[in-house]
Structures are given as C-alpha cells and as structure tokens.
Amino acid sequence: EPDRYAWLKEFCREYKDSPAWLRHEGRVVFMGYRSMMTWDGQEGVAVEQARKAVAAHQAFLKSLDMGDPIFIFDGTEYVPGDISYMSQYPNPDPHLLAPVAEEICKNFDGYMVWGGVIPDEIYQRNYPVIADAVNKTGKAWGMPIINIHSGIGQFYISKPGVERLIDTWNFAEKTGAQLAQIVTWNDWNEATGFAPSISFNYAFTSLNAKFAYRFKHGHFPEAQKDTVYLFYRKYHPDADPYLYPRSTVERDRNLWGETDDMLHVIVFAKGRGTIKISGTTEGTVKCKLKKGFN
C-alpha cells in the first residue's frame, strides 16, 4: 500500500542529501519489515509471493528517488506447521525457506528475518537453512539479535536469563552473518530491553558492546579488569501482566516454573581464578574462571 507512505517520500525529498543516512560504500541502506507482504504461513513460503513482494518493493524504492539504495529484505522465518497450519503440516520442513531466500537474493543485497517471538527450537532449526541459502548467493545474511529477559506473557517460550541473547550472537557467527540486527520493541513491558537505562544499570548496553566487538573482530576485547554481570527474572509466572492474562499457549500452567527464578552470572575475567556465587538452590557455590568470557 505505497500511498500509506507518502510521508516517507516527503522525508526522502527533504533530506535526500543528509549525511545522517546509514550508508554502505556510499549507498543508502533501507531495511524492511514483513517484506513478504503476508502473515499467512503458506504464502510465506511461496516463491510466487516472493516475486510479487520483490516487484512491489522495487517500484516503491524507485519512487523514493534515492539513487541505488541497498535494501535488506525481511523474509520468512516460519514454515507451515511451526506456528500455523499445525494440523495440516505435522512435520514442518525448514527447507521450504530456501527457495524464497534464493529468489529474493536475485534482486536485493541482503536478507534477514525478524526473530521476535519465535520459540528457540524453531529458530535453531530454520535459521541455518535460510542462512545457507543466502550465503550461497553471495548476498548478506542478517542475524536477528534477541534479548527476551524477563519472560512475561508469551515470552516464556524463550530461553531463561540472557541465554537467548548469547545464543543469537553465537548464531550470527555460526551462520556466517554479515550483519546483525538488534531487535527490540516495548522494552519495559515485553522484556526486550536493550536500552541504556539506570534500572538495568546499563548492563545490556555494556554486554552487547562486547558481543558486537566479537562479531566485528572475531574475539572479545581484552579484559582490562574483572567485569561481572548478574541477571535475574523480574516477574514471577503467577503474575498475570496486563494484555497477556493466559492469552497464549505458552502460558500453560503446566509449563510454569521451568524458566522461573533465574539467576544468570557472566564474568569477563582479567585472568584465571574463582568466583563464589550465593543464593543458588545449592547455597553458595564456587566456580572456576578462565581468562576472558565465562
């Protein structure tokens, strides 16, 4: 619906020559959102739907008159049977995702997926297939970096603590990502916090800076001093936060408690040593530290 984006055309006309645009090798970079133009699981893996989306985006980007911009397409990350059409597709096939990614990469410079509220087992199965298809075309695969920390509402589907955050950073390396997208929305109520806030003691900002450095350089920055991060869950599952009172399957009471009462300790150590951690189910425990990331 390009008429809905008249404001963006006006913005591009007014600020076309601004130095503030994100650029790569001189070209302005745009990133899409739900670029397949459908929420339907079957259409999402249809190559014909991908061609339709490509044509619509090409026409729209041309209308912006921004020269030859880079466009990072936000593609499909689910297959039928993952989230929808479960009865018709009891054995989801992640390989359905490859032809769509290949088709998109014939036309655009990069391909990413949103990575939002997607169960751990699904992204771990699907993303390598997508990444492999994109990487084989020579285009840029973009890994979504997700922090779903407190786990309220439907977000119990994610790993506890900041394991999802660390795992997606690891996946960026594992899948050969050329770009990483920090994915966040409604930080304060839906627990996707990245903001440099006092309430988080700037911990997410600091921790992500270290992982971003590793993504760029292949290793963590040299530890100049011992740095300790301590994360815990903010909400107990018996709390029914507004908007999400037992509204999703993930809030099944039979699953409650699996990821609750999480204490997550991360240490960047200047050298080898030990650390004592109190407050665990086993009382105070002593752990060995290696130099660097623990």
Side-chain angles (χ1 to χ4, degrees), residues 48-203:
E48 189 53 44
Q49 177 67 22
R51 293 192 184 109
K52 177 182 174 182
V54 166
H57 280 82
Q58 286 176 327
F60 180 67
L61 289 167
K62 185 177 180 180
S63 74
L64 297 180
D65 191 27
M66 293 294 289
D68 179 27
I70 291 174
F71 182 65
I72 309 297
F73 191 97
D74 177 32
T76 300
E77 58 189 331
Y78 305 130
V79 295
D82 280 338
I83 304 296
S84 59
Y85 297 105
M86 292 181 179
S87 59
Q88 295 107 303
Y89 299 91
N91 299 303
D93 181 7
H95 293 93
L96 293 172
L97 297 163
V100 171
E102 291 165 357
E103 183 66 27
I104 298 303
C105 289
K106 293 177 184 177
N107 300 276
F108 295 124
D109 299 271
Y111 190 94
M112 64 180 184
V113 292
W114 177 49
V117 187
I118 174 172
D120 297 309
E121 66 274 10
I122 293 180
Y123 83 77
Q124 291 168 343
R125 182 188 70 223
N126 292 4
Y127 285 10
V129 174
I130 302 169
D132 187 56
V134 175
N135 291 337
K136 284 180 178 177
T137 69
K139 301 298 177 68
W141 153 244
M143 178 68 196
I145 305 300
I146 296 286
N147 172 42
I148 304 180
H149 171 53
S150 292
I152 66 173
Q154 74 265 47
F155 305 111
Y156 274 98
I157 60 181
S158 184
K159 289 184 174 185
V162 291
E163 289 184 32
R164 177 68 169 263
L165 176 66
I166 294 173
D167 195 55
T168 48
W169 273 119
N170 289 340
F171 249 68
E173 293 193 55
K174 178 181 177 180
T175 58
Q178 293 186 50
L179 61 101
Q181 179 192 188
I182 303 294
V183 180
T184 178
W185 69 94
N186 194 3
D187 287 18
W188 312 120
N189 191 53
E190 294 183 290
T192 61
F194 279 102
S197 69
I198 293 175
S199 64
F200 287 149
N201 197 27
Y202 301 91

Side-chain angles (χ1 to χ4, degrees), residues 20-76:
W21 288 101
L22 173 64
R23 296 179 185 269
H24 180 68
E25 297 181 351
R27 298 167 65 195
V28 172
V29 180
F30 289 101
M31 300 178 75
Y33 176 65
R34 304 305 298 181
S35 305
M36 283 291 284
M37 306 193 307
T38 181
W39 291 90
D40 183 272
Q42 290 177 318
E43 288 184 341
V45 294
V47 173
E48 189 53 44
Q49 177 67 22
R51 293 192 184 109
K52 177 182 174 182
V54 166
H57 280 82
Q58 286 176 327
F60 180 67
L61 289 167
K62 185 177 180 180
S63 74
L64 297 180
D65 191 27
M66 293 294 289
D68 179 27
I70 291 174
F71 182 65
I72 309 297
F73 191 97
D74 177 32
T76 300

